[in-house]
C-alpha cells in the first residue's frame, strides 16, 4: 500500500475528521461561552464527500480514522458515515471522540456501524466542577453515556481528562479509581493554547506526574502502539488489566518527532498541524469539481510541506482558531 511520508520521514497513517464544529458544551479551554462563529451547515462536508476524501487518504496508506468535532454525536447521520467508512478496504481502526452527553442513545448504533473505540471527555467526577468547566449540568448524562458504551461492548473506551491546576488536579486519584473499577483507559492531558480559551487555561506539567502515579500504582510502561491506537499518549498498565494510564504532554514534552496524523475540518480543509496554520482547501476543491487525481495530488503536496513541529511554546498566540474549529 502507498505511504504518506512527510519531509521529516514521518509516516502519516492517522486521519482525524471533524464532522461538525458545533458542540452542546462550552468547555473553558475550548470554546468561549458566547461563541457564534461556527461554519455554516451548507459548507459542511456531506457524507458522500467525507467518504470520498477519507477513501483517498486510506488508498494512500492511512489506516486509522477518528471522527471528531465539535461534538460529533450532534450529527444524527454519524452511524451511517461510520458504516460507510468501515467498509473502506485498508481501514483497520475507526474511533469516535465524544463528550458522551448523547452517547446513551448512540452507543449501540455506533457499535453496530463498526466503530472500534471511543474517546470520551471527562474532566471531573464532581457535578459542580463539571458545570464550571463545561458551562452545563452534564455529569449525569455523561456517566449514563459511559455506562451505555460499556454495555454496548466497545473493546476500548478511553477517558480524556484535561488537567488544570487549581481546577480539577485534586481529582486525579478519584478518576483513576473510577477508571480501574470500570476497566477504562484514563488519559491525562495538558491544555493546549489553541485560541485564547486554550491560552487562558491553567496549564499542568504532566511529564513527571505520569511516572510518579505509575510507580505509586504499580503500573509498568507499555510499548508504543501496543493496543491503544496510534495517538501520542505514553501508557502504563497493571499486570491484571484493571487500569491503563496514559499522559499526553504537548507542552512540557512535545511529541512532534513522532507525529503521524493530519486533520480534516468540517468544511474539508486539511490541517497539517494542530499548532500551525498550514492547510489545504480539499473541500473547496471537491465542491469545484476536482477529480480524484487532483485531490490526491493536493494531499501529497500538503504532506510534503507538513511542518516539523508546533510552535505552542515559542509563539502561543499564532493559532487563533479554537480547538472545535480544527477537530480534536
Amino acid at each position: 500500500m502507498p505511504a504518506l511520508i512527510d519531509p521529516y520521514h514521518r509516516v502519516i497513517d492517522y486521519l482525524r475528521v471533524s464532522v461538525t464544529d458545533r458542540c452542546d458544551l462550552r468547555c473553558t479551554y475550548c470554546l468561549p461561552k458566547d461563541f457564534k462563529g461556527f461554519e455554516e451547515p451548507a459548507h459542511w462536508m456531506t457524507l458522500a464527500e467525507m467518504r470520498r476524501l477519507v477513501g483517498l487518504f486510506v488508498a494512500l496508506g492511512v489506516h486509522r480514522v477518528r471522527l471528531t468535532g465539535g461534538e460529533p454525536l450532534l450529527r444524527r447521520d454519524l452511524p451511517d458515515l461510520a458504516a460507510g467508512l468501515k467498509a473502506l478496504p485498508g481501514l483497520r481502526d475507526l474511533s469516535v471522540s465524544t463528550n458522551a452527553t448523547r452517547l446513551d442513545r448512540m452507543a449501540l448504533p455506533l457499535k453496530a456501524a463498526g466503530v472500534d473505540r471511543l474517546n470520551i471527555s471527562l474532566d471531573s467526577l464532581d457535578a459542580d466542577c463539571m458545570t464550571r468547566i463545561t458551562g452545563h449540568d452534564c455529569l449525569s448524562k455523561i456517566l449514563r453515556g459511559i455506562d451505555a458504551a460499556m454495555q454496548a461492548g466497545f473493546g476500548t473506551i478511553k477517558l480524556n481528562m484535561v488537567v488544570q491546576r487549581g481546577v480539577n488536579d485534586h481529582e486525579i486519584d478519584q478518576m483513576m479509581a473510577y477508571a480501574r473499577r470500570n476497566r477504562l483507559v484514563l488519559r491525562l492531558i495538558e491544555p493546549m493554547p489553541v485560541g485564547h480559551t486554550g491560552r487562558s487555561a491553567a496549564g499542568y506539567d504532566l511529564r513527571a506526574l505520569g511516572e510518579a502515579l505509575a510507580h505509586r500504582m504499580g503500573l509498568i510502561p507499555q510499548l508504543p502502539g501496543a493496543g491503544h491506537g496510534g495517538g501520542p499518549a505514553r501508557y502504563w498498565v497493571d499486570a491484571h488489566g484493571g487500569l491503563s494510564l496514559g499522559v499526553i504532554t504537548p507542552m512540557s514534552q512535545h511529541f512532534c518527532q513522532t507525529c503521524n496524523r493530519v486533520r480534516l475540518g468540517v468544511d474539508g480543509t486539511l490541517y497539517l498541524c494542530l499548532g500551525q496554520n498550514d492547510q489545504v482547501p480539499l473541500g473547496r476543491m471537491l465542491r469545484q469539481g476536482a477529480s480524484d487525481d487532483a485531490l490526491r495530488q493536493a494531499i501529497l503536496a500538503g504532506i510534503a510541506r507538513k511542518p516539523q513541529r508546533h510552535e505552542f511554546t515559542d509563539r502561543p498566540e499564532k493559532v487563533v482558531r479554537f480547538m472545535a474549529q480544527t477537530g480534536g
Side-chain angles (χ1 to χ4, degrees), residues 159 173-186 213-214 216-219 237-244:
L159 302 181
D173 282 353
Q174 183 183 1
M175 194 73 77
M176 290 178 65
Y178 174 78
R180 167 168 274 171
R181 187 164 62 249
N182 292 287
R183 292 185 172 267
L184 306 173
V185 179
L186 175 63
L213 289 171
R216 177 158 60 85
M217 301 296 292
L219 308 179
V237 297
D238 70 18
H240 306 290
L243 176 65
S244 294

Side-chain angles (χ1 to χ4, degrees), residues 37-50:
F38 297 108
E39 187 64 67
E40 292 294 328
H43 298 159
W44 292 1
M45 290 184 289
T46 65
L47 294 193
E49 289 170 340
M50 281 188 276

Side-chain angles (χ1 to χ4, degrees), residues 234-311:
R234 291 180 294 136
Y235 288 101
W236 295 264
V237 297
D238 70 18
H240 306 290
L243 176 65
S244 294
L245 174 69
V247 296
I248 300 179
T249 56
M251 303 303 298
S252 64
Q253 186 178 13
H254 74 78
F255 33 79
C256 299
Q257 69 274 14
T258 59
C259 182
N260 64 341
R261 69 204 71 91
V262 290
R263 293 167 169 83
L264 272 180
V266 67
D267 63 348
T269 299
L270 175 63
Y271 295 100
L272 303 171
C273 175
L274 187 61
Q276 297 279 6
N277 289 314
D278 305 79
Q279 54 190 259
V280 181
L282 295 178
R284 187 174 68 205
M285 291 177 60
L286 187 152
R287 287 184 286 274
Q288 290 175 347
S291 66
D292 282 357
D293 187 60
L295 292 167
R296 188 179 301 110
Q297 293 306 314
I299 293 170
L300 293 171
I303 299 300
R305 56 184 176 85
K306 180 175 168 63
Q308 183 176 18
R309 55 161 296 179
H310 69 65
E311 294 183 304

